[in-house]
Amino acid sequence: MSLGGGNSSEGPNAGGIFVQFNQDCTSLVAGSSSGYHLFSLTPDDGIEEIYGSHSGQETCLVDRLFSSSLVAIVTVSAPRKLIVCHYKKGTEICNYSYSNTILAVKLNRSRLIVCLEESLHIHNIRDMKILHTIRDTPPNARGLCALSPCVDHCYVAYPGSSAVGEVQIFDAVHLNAKCVISAHDSPLAALAWSMCGRRLATASERGTVIRVFAVPERTRLYEFRRGMKRCVSIACLAFSACGAYLAATSNTETVHVFRLQENAERAVEDSSAAGNSPTEPGWVDWMSQTLSAGLVYLPAQVTDVLSQGRAFASAKLPRAGYRAVAAVTNVSRQARLLVATSEGILYVYSLDPTEGGECTLLRTHSLLEPRTPANDESEREHELNTAMAGSPPRGSYDIRDPRHFPPMRAPTDTSATE
């Protein structure tokens, strides 16, 4: 659930800071010009900074192993070196240098994956030794790869082609190729694993269709249409911990949340058992059933479009133009959509698990200052432009308090035409 790899113009910190949620979405990491920072999510929809390295080295990649003290970082000054450290003890466990720039780092409780443009390196998380290297992979300038959080299904997904949307699945425990999935006609843009490691979400550079596959069966389970717009770039796909929802961010201000029906029904049952009243199926469910019954009478192209699921819920970011990562999680037993942007802002939205619809922005948190301009004059100009654009003030605040939310121009709604 990162912003995507490396130090290129399309990298995770392009135009701002690096932000990423940990594997179970209980904390958030951020890289800045002075080091890296770890934040925990609090029960009141807030955040708390639990650590700041303040090393003075600009950090372009950082990943935390769940809620442990193990952190992997890559700095701008040494883009080919991976540093693994114990942040609580303030000690460096090891460092490795590679032949090329590190574009992405992925962790689970069994393996650590380092992604270069044309190779992947698999480390044993216990002693950090390199177990295997996948060489001569198709050119992967974005550092696109995904590691399953589950050690029982410890799979790595990465592009199997630079021309079409082919996904290569590699077993990081048994160190062998598992399967190949022909996911899209266009090159891949985003990959994400579910917590169980048996579901893989994919999106292509066209950005209109998102698919979910069963692994290793390669069965297509779901197909969602994000929109009709051709120039949309998917930045992030993220499953909820329960597996009932899939969030997608793009280069527009709209964040989409799709519901995976079989898991969503189970999630609603769990919510009802916790004291929430169940609801009857809505008109959207009835309409979907009606359309499904008539698909056999329509041309194949029309059938493909109508059979694709639409977003269950969506959220509007107050400011577009920044790369964003999302997470769907529970805060004090309430469903929340969290969106962190490279501007250094975390947005907290409410998510109705039964009705969906438009998510309500509850709180906004400023994490860190973005990369500072080169001189004082440009810094003053940057601050002035930010203020004129209606940027939220520093710190955390409740969006429902009008004192902290200046009037803003309504963002352009692209969803109507997508």
Side-chain angles (χ1 to χ4, degrees):
M1 281 174 279
S2 72
L3 288 178
N7 305 304
S8 68
S9 60
E10 296 182 353
N13 53 329
I17 66 173
F18 175 87
V19 287
Q20 177 170 274
F21 292 98
N22 68 340
Q23 295 84 355
D24 58 3
C25 302
T26 57
S27 67
L28 178 69
V29 296
S32 72
S33 58
S34 61
Y36 67 92
H37 304 256
L38 307 180
F39 301 88
S40 64
L41 306 176
T42 62
D44 60 348
D45 294 318
I47 59 171
E48 177 184 1
E49 182 173 352
I50 57 178
Y51 180 76
S53 68
H54 303 294
S55 62
Q57 296 191 27
E58 188 172 1
T59 302
C60 56
L61 291 173
V62 56
D63 199 8
R64 182 187 185 190
L65 178 61
F66 287 90
S67 298
S68 73
S69 302
L70 190 68
V71 177
I73 61 173
V74 178
T75 63
V76 172
S77 61
R80 299 183 179 186
K81 179 186 289 187
L82 172 70
I83 301 172
V84 180
C85 57
H86 190 294
Y87 82 84
K88 287 185 178 179
K89 295 181 179 179
T91 58
E92 182 179 300
I93 297 175
C94 66
N95 67 74
Y96 283 90
S97 294
Y98 300 88
S99 59
N100 209 335
T101 299
I102 299 172
L103 301 178
V105 179
K106 306 295 180 181
L107 303 171
N108 68 17
R109 292 189 174 96
S110 176
R111 297 291 184 259
L112 181 150
I113 308 297
V114 176
C115 179
L116 310 185
E117 184 171 356
E118 295 186 348
S119 63
L120 289 102
H121 301 263
I122 302 175
H123 294 253
N124 185 357
I125 200 74
R126 294 184 178 181
D127 54 18
M128 292 300 163
K129 292 182 179 180
I130 294 182
L131 301 175
H132 185 75
T133 298
I134 305 174
R135 302 186 185 278
D136 300 322
T137 60
N140 184 14
R142 297 182 181 181
L144 182 60
C145 70
L147 174 64
S148 166
C150 178
V151 296
D152 293 330
H153 303 99
C154 190
Y155 300 139
V156 181
Y158 62 94
S161 169
S162 58
V164 297
E166 182 179 280
V167 188
Q168 182 75 50
I169 308 297
F170 190 88
D171 190 326
V173 171
H174 299 97
L175 304 179
N176 55 38
K178 197 69 177 177
C179 64
V180 177
I181 300 175
S182 297
H184 302 271
D185 293 332
S186 303
L188 296 170
L191 296 167
W193 287 102
S194 63
M195 286 295 292
C196 68
R198 297 295 305 275
R199 304 288 184 266
L200 177 70
T202 67
S204 74
E205 290 181 351
R206 294 180 64 179
T208 55
V209 175
I210 296 169
R211 297 187 171 111
V212 178
F213 296 88
V215 178
E217 298 84 359
R218 299 182 297 172
T219 305
R220 185 191 300 179
L221 301 177
Y222 302 96
E223 185 169 86
F224 301 106
R225 178 159 290 274
R226 197 216 58 84
M228 298 297 293
K229 192 175 181 180
R230 298 289 182 180
C231 60
V232 168
S233 176
I234 300 293
C236 166
L237 295 175
F239 283 92
S240 62
C242 64
Y245 306 100
L246 176 66
T249 69
S250 68
N251 59 343
T252 72
E253 72 276 10
T254 305
V255 180
H256 296 84
V257 179
F258 304 95
R259 183 166 67 171
L260 283 61
Q261 191 63 40
E262 59 188 37
N263 292 328
E265 292 174 353
R266 189 180 307 115
V268 171
E269 291 175 0
D270 294 342
S271 177
S272 299
N276 298 328
S277 58
T279 60
E280 295 296 327
W283 70 269
V284 174
D285 298 318
W286 174 84
M287 182 64 73
S288 298
Q289 295 173 3
T290 304
L291 285 174
S292 298
L295 290 180
V296 293
Y297 304 105
L298 299 174
Q301 294 87 347
V302 178
T303 299
D304 290 341
V305 173
L306 291 180
S307 63
Q308 294 164 348
R310 297 287 177 163
F312 170 71
S314 64
K316 296 290 186 181
L317 295 175
R319 289 168 59 84
Y322 293 91
R323 290 175 64 82
V325 292
V328 178
T329 186
N330 286 322
V331 177
S332 298
R333 295 188 176 183
Q334 298 296 318
R336 294 288 185 261
L337 170 63
L338 310 177
V339 184
T341 72
S342 60
E343 188 185 11
I345 305 294
L346 173 66
Y347 300 100
V348 181
Y349 294 86
S350 64
L351 174 63
D352 190 324
T354 56
E355 295 297 329
E358 188 73 19
C359 298
T360 302
L361 180 59
L362 300 178
R363 298 194 69 181
T364 298
H365 305 281
S366 294
L367 302 173
L368 304 167
E369 292 287 353
R371 302 288 192 264
T372 56
N375 53 60
D376 293 340
E377 182 178 352
S378 59
E379 182 172 359
R380 286 193 296 270
E381 181 180 354
H382 171 76
E383 291 177 351
L384 178 61
N385 292 337
T386 301
M388 293 177 64
S391 178
R394 293 286 299 161
S396 302
Y397 62 92
D398 193 322
I399 199 66
R400 292 162 289 191
D401 189 339
R403 295 175 300 171
H404 300 300
F405 198 61
M408 295 174 57
R409 294 187 301 270
T412 302
D413 187 358
T414 60
S415 60
T417 59
E418 294 176 349

